[in-house]
Amino acid sequence: MKRISVILLSLLLLASLLTACGSPTGLQDGYYTAQAAEFNFGWKEYITILVKGGRIISVEYNAENASGFIKSWDNAYMQTMLHSNGTYPNQYTRNYANQLLEGQSADGIDAITGATSSWGSFQKLAQAVLEQARQGDSSIVYVDTAH
């Protein structure tokens, strides 16, 4: 009887250890990308995440033009947007990406004044990329981000 109790206890411990190794978020390890299906004012936004150990460990959110130039690198655009909106792409893209990384979810991401259109796109892209990560599908998903 003692031997059976020890075996059962060992099996329960093993089962709890194996359960703890699973991803509580349901995210599968890998790189995942969601991209806007269409250009909006000359830019196509995207999110790429890296999931490791079932957690998001890296988030890149940005936009590129038809030639592949990254929006956050466009100094002229930055100056124009900063003076008219009070923010600029290199600021709000990092803010939104950081909120996704810290929260590990698309829920509860706060909009930044002056970048609410990008916030709406970010919400749609974040939900799509997280769904890709849950499915373990590393193909690029194209999202209608029109508002």
Side-chain angles (χ1 to χ4, degrees), residues 10-47:
S10 297
L11 288 174
L12 285 172
L13 287 172
L14 181 61
S16 68
L17 286 174
L18 291 175
T19 304
C21 292
S23 168
T25 61
L27 303 179
Q28 297 184 36
D29 290 359
Y31 284 96
Y32 303 96
T33 300
Q35 184 177 53
E38 303 291 330
F39 286 93
N40 186 22
F41 296 104
W43 300 99
K44 189 180 278 195
E45 293 173 302
Y46 64 89
I47 295 176

Side-chain angles (χ1 to χ4, degrees), residues 8-116:
L8 286 175
L9 183 59
S10 297
L11 288 174
L12 285 172
L13 287 172
L14 181 61
S16 68
L17 286 174
L18 291 175
T19 304
C21 292
S23 168
T25 61
L27 303 179
Q28 297 184 36
D29 290 359
Y31 284 96
Y32 303 96
T33 300
Q35 184 177 53
E38 303 291 330
F39 286 93
N40 186 22
F41 296 104
W43 300 99
K44 189 180 278 195
E45 293 173 302
Y46 64 89
I47 295 176
T48 298
I49 64 171
L50 171 59
V51 176
K52 189 170 184 180
R55 294 188 49 80
I56 302 168
I57 63 166
S58 175
V59 178
E60 179 185 359
Y61 167 54
N62 222 310
E64 62 184 9
N65 64 17
S67 66
F69 189 71
I70 302 298
K71 191 176 193 178
S72 292
W73 301 345
D74 189 333
N75 286 326
Y77 190 93
M78 178 189 79
Q79 290 299 322
T80 301
M81 188 172 176
L82 178 62
H83 294 298
S84 64
N85 293 32
T87 190
Y88 52 93
N90 200 29
Q91 182 181 49
Y92 70 77
T93 57
R94 288 196 280 172
N95 182 291
Y96 291 152
N98 192 48
Q99 288 186 66
L100 178 59
L101 181 63
E102 287 181 1
Q104 297 287 304
S105 169
D107 299 330
I109 294 175
D110 296 324
I112 296 174
T113 301
T116 54

